[in-house]
Amino acid sequence: MTEPPAPERIPRQPLRHRLAERGVDYSLLLLVPAVVVIAGLFLYPFLYGISISVQPQSGGGAFANYTNFFTDPYQAGAIVKTLRLALPVALVSVGLAAPLAYRCRRDFRGRKLVTLVVMLPITFGSILIAQGMPRVFSPYGWVNLLFKAVGLPQVNLLYNYWGTFIAAVLTALPLVFLLLMGIFGGIDRSLEHAAATLGAGRAARFWRIILPLAAPGLLTTFMLACVEAFAIFPSAILVGQPDNQTHVLTIPIYQAASQNSDYTQASAIAVVLTVIELLILGLAVLVRGRLFRGPATGGKG
Amino acid sequence: MATTTLAPTSAPAARAPGFSRPTVTAVLTWTVAGLFAAVLLAVLISVIVTALSTSWGGTWLPSGYTLSWFRHAWDTPGLANSIAVTFEVAIADVAIALLVGVPAGYVVARKKFPGRNAIMLFALLPVILPPLTYAVQLAALMYRLGIGGTLLSVVLVNLVPILPLVILITVPFVEQISPDVEQAAKVFGADNLRLFTRVLVPLLTPGIVAAGVLSLVRVLGSFELTFFVSGATTQTLVVTIFGALSDPGGPPAALTAAMTVFYMAIALLGLVISLRFANPAHTLAQPARRTL
Amino acid sequence: MAGPARRTSGAAFETLSLRGVTRVYGRNPPALYDFDLELGRGDFVALLGPSGCGKSTALACIAGLQLLTRGSIWRDGERIDTKPAEKRGFGMVFQNYALFPHLSVRRNVEFGLAMRKVARGQRQERALAALRTVQLEEHASKLPSQLSGGQQQRVAIARALAIEPEVVLMDEPLSNLDAALRIELRTEIKRIYQERGLTVLYVTHDQEEALALATRLVVLRKGRIEQIGTPQEVYTNPSSAYVAGFMGYRNLFPASYREPGQGREARVSAFGATVTGTVISDGRLEDGAGVTVAIRPEDLILGTGAGPNAIEAVAEVVEYHGRELSVQARTATDNVLHLKTTEPVAAGSLVTLTARPDRVLVYRSGLNRGELDVEAGAS
C-alpha cells in the first residue's frame, strides 16, 4: 500500500486550466476554419470594398466616387426610390402574412402543403418569379383577361413600380410568413389557456397576450423584410422600370460593375447600401431594446 | 427528453374542440391567402405552360403544345454546362459548409468563450444582409486575386451565406442534446474522436440533413453572388436564365422557359427533400429570434 | 509534485483518495474547499447536502468532468486527477439517465465495453448479464425513449455495471423518479451493491436515501465537510445544528444558555421556559450565550403534564399519516413545534409535550435562513 502524499498547495492553476475555466480550450480549434472563411470572404471583402471605393478608377479625390454618387440627383435619388419600394413591400408583407401566420401557428392538417407553397418562391428565387410575371400581369396577361371578362378596367402592372412591387412581395411574404409562424408558435400555449380561464375572449387574448408577446418579433421581422427589399435586384430590371420608377440602389451598383467595369464606383455605392442596411438593423435592435424588456416570446424558445 | 433525436419541430398541438363560426377576419385572411397562392402558382405555372407552347399570343392558353423546346434547350450551348456547374458548385459548397459549419456550430452551442457573441453576430450578418451589399466587393477581390470567373471563385463566394446558415441551423440541434449524454460518453471511455463519430454525429444527423438541404436550396437559387463573379463557362443555371431574360434579342421566351423548367425540377426536388427533414419555420425563425 | 506513481497492474483496487480538492468557479466562494475523502473497497459513501453544497461538484471532479482548482485525487498510488474522464474508468449514473437516445438498450450498456475494445461476443454477454441484474433483459432491443423513467435509470445502472468499474459514481440517480419508484429502485441499488460487492460514491439531497443506502455519510455545507460518520452516528448525534436540520430535526429554535447540568447536560431558556438538553458543541458556553436547540418530531412526546421539559402548546394542524399523526403545535410564546404521535389529537386542543434531555440537542452556532432548503434537480 502506498500512502498518497499530503495535499500540495498550488497557488495558481496552470494557464491551461485557467483558460479552460473561461471556455478557452482545444475545442475552439474547430471554430478556426469557419472563422477563416467568414473573415476572409465576408469581413475582408467589406474592408477591401471600402479601400477600393476611395481609390476611384476615374480619378478625382479620394471621395470622388461618393461625391459622384451623391451630387448626381438621378443616382442619389435611387435612395428615395428604394425607400419608396422597400417600406411598402415590408409593410404589406408583414400585414398580409401576420394574420395568416397567427392562424397557422399550431399544427394543423395541411400544414405541410401550406409550407410547401410558401417555400416555393424562396426556393425558386426572384428570377423565376420575374420570368413568370409577364404572362400573368402584362396587358395581354391572365389578370387583364380576367378583368376584361368580368368588365373591369385594364391595369398596367408590369415594367413599372408595380411590377417590381408585386415581385418583391411575392418573394418577401413567404419569408416573413415563416419567421412569424415561428414567433407566434413560440408563444407558450399555456399563457393563452391561462388568459382564457381568467375570462379573456378570443379577441382579448390576441390583443392583450399574443400581440404584446409577439411585438418584438413582429418588429424584427418587419426590419428584416425591409433589409431584404432594400436590396431588390433582378426583379427591378426584369419586371420594373430600371431607368426610372425602379431605379433602386442596386441598379447603379450593377451598372458600375457590369457595364462600366468600374468596381471602385460600384463598391462605393455598395458601401452606401450596406451603411443604410446596418442603420435599419441597428434601429431595429435599438427600438426593441427601448420598447420591450424580458423574454421576447415567453415560455419555450 | 425522450425524443431528443427528433428535429426541433413544434410539439403536436391538441386539436381545438369543435369548429366555431368563421369570423370576418378569418374569411379575410383566407381570401388574401388564397389570392396570394393563386398569383404565385399562376406565375409558376405560366412558365411551365410557356415551355410547352408552340406560340402564345394574347389568349388564355397557347395555340399549340410541343415538347421540342426541352430538347432545343438541352442542345443550346451552355445549358448543359450551366447545369453541370450548378451541381458542382452546389455539392462542393454544401460539403464544405457542413464540414466546416457543423463543428463550428457545435462549439458555439456548447461553449461560452470570449468572442462568442461576436462570432454569432458575424455568422448572422451574411444570412441577414442581402448579397448585393457585398457581392461586388467580393467579385472585385476575386478578380484581384486572379481567380475571378473560375469555378473556384463561384464556389468561394457562394460559401459566404451558406456556411453561417449551417452554423445557425446546427446550434439549436446541438442544444437539444443533453450535455449529460456527452459526459456519459466520456466517463464510459469515449475520447473526442469517438464521442464525435459514435454519439454526436448520429444524434445530429437530422440537423445535418436539414442544414445540408436548406443550404443546397439556397445555393441553387443564389443569383447575385454568382452573377458578379462567374465567367462565360462558370455560370450557374439562374445566371444563364437571367442572361437570356435580360437580353432583348435573346432566345425566344419558350426556350428560356424550358431552361427554367429544368431548374425548377432540380430546386423542387431539393425543396421536397428538405421538407421531409425539417420545418423551415422553426429552422429559420429560431436563430433570428435568439440572436437579434 | 506527484507522489510515487506505483499503480501495480493487476492488483485489486484498494482506496480512492481525495486530497484537499478545491473547486472555485470564477470569483464566487469555493464550490468545494479542501475536500478530503477516503473511499475503500466495498464502501458505499453518500455525499449529502442541499443544492449548492458542492456534492455534485465533488462527483464531477472525481469523474473528470470538472477541473480541480487545487488538490489531487488518487487511486491507490496513482494520481488520476490529471487524466481525462475517458481514462479514469469509473462507472457513472446520472440524474437524468443520460442514455444515448440513438442506441438500443443493449448497445447503451455495451458502449463502455466497446470503448474498451472488448470483443463483440463477450461484449454482448456482459451487457446481457448486466441487464439481467437490473431485470431488463427482455427490453434489450428497445430504444431508451420506449422505456419508462424508472426503466431508463435501470439501464443507466446496468451500463455502469457492465464495465465492472472499481468505483460507481451516482449523481442523484433517484431524484427524477416519483416517490414509489424511488423507494423500489433504492432497494434495488442496495441489493446490487450487496450482491456484487461494489464500491459506490453516491450524491443525494435526500437524507432518507442516504441513511438507507450508505455505509458512510458525508454531510457537506457550502463546499466543506460538516460531518462524516456512519448513518447511525450522523442521525442520532448530528455534529451541528445544520446537520441536525438536515437529519430531520425539524424543531430548531434559538435559545440562550443558562447553566450546566449533570455531565453534558445543560439548561437553556427557550419559549419562556427552561429546557434541559445535551450540549453537543465542544468548548465552554458563556452564560446567556445564543445557542440552537434541535429536537426531532419523534422525540417530542405527547404527555399529560408531568415529565421532563414539559411544554404546553395548542395543536394547530393535524395531518394523518396512516400509522401516526403529524402535528404542528404553537406555544404560548408563538413558537411552532412539530411532533409525531400515535395518540389521537384534535386540532385546537391543548397538549403538553415532553422531551428526554438526551434527545434535546444544544448547539453553539445557529443556521442561516433558508440554508436547508432543498431544491430537487439543482445541485
Side-chain angles (χ1 to χ4, degrees):
Chain A
M1 269 282 329
T2 321
E3 267 301 303
E8 65 273 61
R9 300 274 170 227
I10 309 166
R12 268 162 92 77
Q13 277 297 101
L15 181 66
R16 198 167 62 83
H17 283 205
R18 273 184 287 138
L19 286 176
E21 198 81 332
R22 308 195 51 195
V24 180
D25 57 29
Y26 287 121
S27 70
L28 293 193
L29 287 178
L30 293 173
L31 273 177
V32 170
V35 170
V36 167
V37 169
I38 294 176
L41 292 174
F42 182 70
L43 293 182
Y44 178 67
F46 265 119
L47 301 177
Y48 177 73
I50 293 172
S51 87
I52 61 170
S53 74
V54 293
Q55 299 163 21
Q57 192 175 314
S58 47
F63 295 102
N65 281 329
Y66 292 97
T67 47
N68 282 349
F69 176 78
F70 282 109
T71 52
D72 182 344
Y74 173 62
Q75 300 287 44
I79 297 179
V80 179
K81 283 179 180 145
T82 316
L83 266 178
R84 242 182 2 221
L85 192 63
L87 284 180
V89 164
L91 265 178
V92 168
S93 300
V94 173
L96 293 185
L100 199 58
Y102 176 65
R103 280 173 196 285
C104 296
R105 71 196 186 282
R106 309 279 173 226
D107 270 352
F108 57 97
R109 228 173 315 175
R111 185 185 178 124
K112 285 248 155 164
L113 187 72
V114 170
T115 317
L116 181 76
V117 170
V118 153
M119 281 295 283
L120 282 176
I122 298 177
T123 313
F124 290 155
S126 48
I127 306 254
L128 220 157
I129 300 288
Q131 187 177 6
M133 277 182 58
R135 185 47 69 183
V136 179
F137 291 106
S138 73
Y140 54 86
W142 284 337
V143 167
N144 276 319
L145 286 175
L146 185 71
F147 277 22
K148 203 154 103 189
V150 296
L152 285 170
Q154 297 291 287
V155 287
N156 188 10
L157 299 175
L158 204 64
Y159 307 123
N160 55 19
Y161 176 86
W162 294 108
T164 308
F165 179 85
I166 292 170
V169 170
L170 282 178
T171 43
L173 193 141
L175 199 66
V176 168
F177 173 76
L178 288 180
L179 288 170
L180 290 181
M181 208 155 71
I183 284 158
F184 284 125
I187 295 172
D188 193 341
R189 228 186 157 175
S190 54
L191 295 177
E192 273 179 83
H193 292 164
T197 61
L198 296 171
R202 199 195 299 193
R205 292 203 297 271
F206 175 77
W207 290 108
R208 310 186 77 146
I209 307 292
I210 305 281
L211 200 61
L213 285 173
L218 277 168
L219 180 74
T220 307
T221 309
F222 172 74
M223 290 299 188
L224 287 180
C226 263
V227 167
E228 286 301 318
F230 216 86
I232 189 157
F233 174 50
S235 48
I237 295 179
L238 296 176
V239 289
Q241 196 182 20
D243 52 356
N244 185 9
Q245 286 181 359
T246 63
H247 183 76
V248 291
L249 255 179
T250 53
I251 304 289
I253 300 179
Y254 161 67
Q255 285 166 340
S258 283
Q259 291 172 359
N260 307 334
S261 294
D262 184 351
Y263 280 98
T264 67
Q265 179 68 60
S267 295
I269 307 171
V271 167
V272 173
L273 175 66
T274 310
V275 168
I276 297 175
E277 298 279 37
L278 291 177
L279 281 178
I280 298 175
L281 286 175
L283 192 71
V285 174
L286 198 75
V287 170
R288 266 188 66 145
R290 275 287 165 83
L291 290 187
F292 312 108
R293 308 214 179 271
T297 46
K300 70 169 186 182
Chain B
M1 286 307 288
T3 53
T4 36
T5 47
L6 297 182
T9 48
S10 67
R15 196 157 294 283
F19 267 102
S20 41
R21 202 160 42 82
T23 57
V24 181
T25 48
V27 171
L28 258 173
T29 311
W30 291 117
T31 310
V32 169
L35 267 177
F36 175 81
V39 170
L40 182 66
L41 292 177
V43 165
L44 299 179
I45 288 168
S46 82
V47 177
I48 300 173
V49 177
T50 306
L52 292 167
S53 63
T54 48
S55 69
W56 193 352
T59 50
W60 280 97
L61 289 170
S63 45
Y65 296 93
T66 174
L67 284 171
S68 65
W69 291 116
F70 291 105
R71 193 160 32 79
H72 201 60
W74 190 255
D75 292 337
T76 307
L79 182 80
N81 183 51
S82 304
I83 292 179
V85 168
T86 306
F87 272 107
E88 282 162 15
V89 170
I91 290 168
D93 269 328
V94 171
I96 298 173
L98 288 181
L99 224 55
V100 172
V102 171
Y106 170 78
V107 175
V108 169
R110 271 285 186 264
K111 294 254 161 193
K112 290 232 176 307
F113 53 90
R116 182 178 177 276
N117 288 340
I119 286 182
M120 277 305 266
L121 179 67
F122 286 119
L124 196 63
L125 273 183
V127 178
I128 290 179
L129 281 182
L132 258 170
T133 53
Y134 55 92
V136 168
Q137 298 97 306
L138 194 52
L141 182 64
M142 290 294 146
Y143 279 105
R144 175 69 178 276
L145 294 173
I147 55 170
T150 63
L151 196 63
L152 174 65
S153 68
V154 178
V155 170
L156 284 180
V157 296
N158 278 301
L159 206 52
V160 176
I162 303 307
L163 173 65
L165 192 68
V166 170
I167 296 178
L168 295 179
I169 293 174
T170 307
V171 168
F173 279 94
V174 174
E175 284 173 348
Q176 287 225 327
I177 301 175
S178 157
D180 279 354
V181 168
E182 280 178 55
Q183 297 194 336
K186 300 217 86 177
V187 169
F188 285 102
D191 53 26
N192 284 330
L193 182 70
R194 284 188 290 183
L195 172 69
F196 216 74
T197 55
R198 299 280 192 103
V199 178
L200 288 178
V201 170
L203 286 178
L204 281 176
T205 303
I208 294 173
V209 173
V213 183
L214 280 176
S215 41
L216 179 75
V217 166
R218 182 136 182 190
V219 187
L220 290 178
S222 156
F223 167 69
E224 288 92 340
L225 289 167
T226 317
F227 176 74
F228 284 104
V229 85
S230 61
T233 58
T234 53
Q235 287 185 353
T236 56
L237 258 174
V238 259
V239 176
T240 308
I241 293 166
F242 176 81
L245 285 176
S246 59
D247 181 2
L255 182 59
T256 318
M259 292 184 191
T260 308
V261 171
F262 280 116
Y263 165 70
M264 280 168 93
I266 297 167
L268 199 62
L269 192 69
L271 175 61
V272 170
I273 298 174
S274 80
L275 288 181
R276 277 198 63 81
F277 288 102
N279 179 347
H282 290 259
T283 317
L284 295 177
Q286 267 192 3
R289 198 167 72 210
R290 285 144 29 113
T291 319
L292 262 190
Chain C
M1 282 309 292
R6 261 213 279 144
R7 169 117 174 94
T8 41
S9 60
F13 152 82
E14 288 295 338
T15 50
L16 179 75
S17 321
L18 281 78
R19 292 291 151 116
V21 171
T22 300
R23 171 70 209 196
V24 186
Y25 296 99
R27 302 198 178 281
N28 304 314
L32 194 64
Y33 189 79
D34 253 353
F35 185 71
D36 292 316
L37 183 68
E38 196 103 340
L39 194 70
R41 182 146 58 115
D43 275 352
F44 195 129
V45 173
L47 300 184
L48 181 64
S51 66
C53 72
K55 59 190 191 299
S56 286
T57 302
L59 204 69
C61 284
I62 296 169
L65 302 171
Q66 288 281 351
L67 290 168
L68 275 58
T69 305
R70 208 167 60 196
S72 56
I73 303 171
W74 302 79
R75 179 171 50 207
D76 295 335
E78 181 197 17
R79 183 168 178 176
I80 60 165
D81 59 286
T82 48
K83 289 181 162 190
E86 65 265 25
K87 298 262 165 61
R88 297 195 188 183
F90 295 120
M92 187 157 176
V93 180
F94 292 79
Q95 182 176 357
N96 51 10
Y97 328 137
L99 295 177
F100 306 117
H102 62 300
L103 299 179
S104 70
V105 165
R106 183 172 59 78
R107 301 267 311 276
N108 258 287
V109 178
E110 277 180 29
F111 188 88
L113 299 171
M115 293 300 121
R116 284 161 180 73
K117 305 231 158 58
V118 174
R120 182 176 292 269
Q122 207 192 340
R123 215 195 283 169
Q124 278 196 18
E125 207 173 289
R126 280 168 71 177
L128 287 176
L131 281 172
R132 206 172 303 135
T133 310
V134 296
Q135 294 152 20
L136 278 181
E137 218 183 344
E138 69 272 30
H139 297 291
S141 52
K142 286 187 181 166
L143 283 175
S145 56
Q146 292 170 286
L147 302 182
S148 69
Q151 289 172 323
Q152 291 191 43
Q153 197 57 296
R154 282 166 196 266
V155 175
I157 292 169
R159 180 173 66 177
L161 294 179
I163 57 171
E164 290 168 14
E166 289 161 346
V167 181
V168 180
L169 309 173
M170 295 197 179
D171 189 4
E172 309 216 21
L174 304 181
S175 60
N176 274 10
L177 305 175
D178 61 49
L181 211 54
R182 204 178 304 162
I183 291 172
E184 188 191 318
L185 202 51
R186 191 175 81 193
T187 311
E188 189 87 3
I189 290 175
K190 185 97 184 196
R191 176 181 66 79
I192 296 168
Y193 159 71
Q194 288 168 347
E195 275 178 18
R196 305 197 44 158
L198 301 174
T199 309
V200 182
L201 187 60
Y202 189 101
V203 159
T204 181
H205 63 254
D206 182 341
Q207 50 107 1
E208 217 178 288
E209 215 172 284
L211 291 172
L213 288 170
T215 56
R216 207 140 50 93
L217 230 58
V218 179
V219 184
L220 285 166
R221 178 191 197 181
K222 290 183 186 164
R224 289 161 210 255
I225 293 176
E226 189 85 355
Q227 186 173 9
I228 299 190
T230 65
Q232 293 81 353
E233 280 165 14
V234 177
Y235 185 65
T236 48
N237 282 312
S239 66
S240 67
Y242 171 84
V243 179
F246 218 78
M247 284 293 135
Y249 288 68
R250 266 188 94 186
N251 301 301
L252 283 167
F253 32 83
S256 63
Y257 183 80
R258 291 187 77 89
E259 57 189 4
Q262 296 177 335
R264 294 194 68 83
E265 278 183 13
R267 269 186 275 284
V268 299
S269 307
F271 24 80
T274 302
V275 176
T276 308
T278 308
V279 179
I280 303 293
S281 305
D282 295 329
R284 241 187 71 83
L285 284 165
E286 301 288 328
D287 266 11
V291 293
T292 301
V293 172
I295 309 170
R296 270 200 316 232
E298 296 86 337
D299 293 332
L300 275 178
I301 298 154
L302 208 61
T304 44
N309 296 328
I311 305 154
E312 286 204 330
V314 176
E316 270 190 345
V317 181
V318 179
E319 287 174 15
Y320 178 63
H321 284 191
R323 208 169 48 81
E324 60 192 4
L325 295 175
S326 178
V327 181
Q328 180 181 310
R330 195 176 288 273
T331 63
T333 51
D334 225 17
N335 289 84
V336 173
L337 291 172
H338 301 274
L339 68 137
K340 293 216 168 125
T341 176
T342 49
E343 309 285 320
V345 184
S349 60
L350 189 70
V351 293
T352 306
L353 308 171
T354 59
R356 276 163 45 200
D358 63 324
R359 296 314 305 150
V360 177
L361 308 182
V362 178
Y363 296 99
R364 180 195 298 274
S365 55
L367 272 176
N368 299 330
R369 247 183 113 78
E371 207 181 351
L372 289 168
D373 291 349
V374 171
E375 204 180 305
S379 49

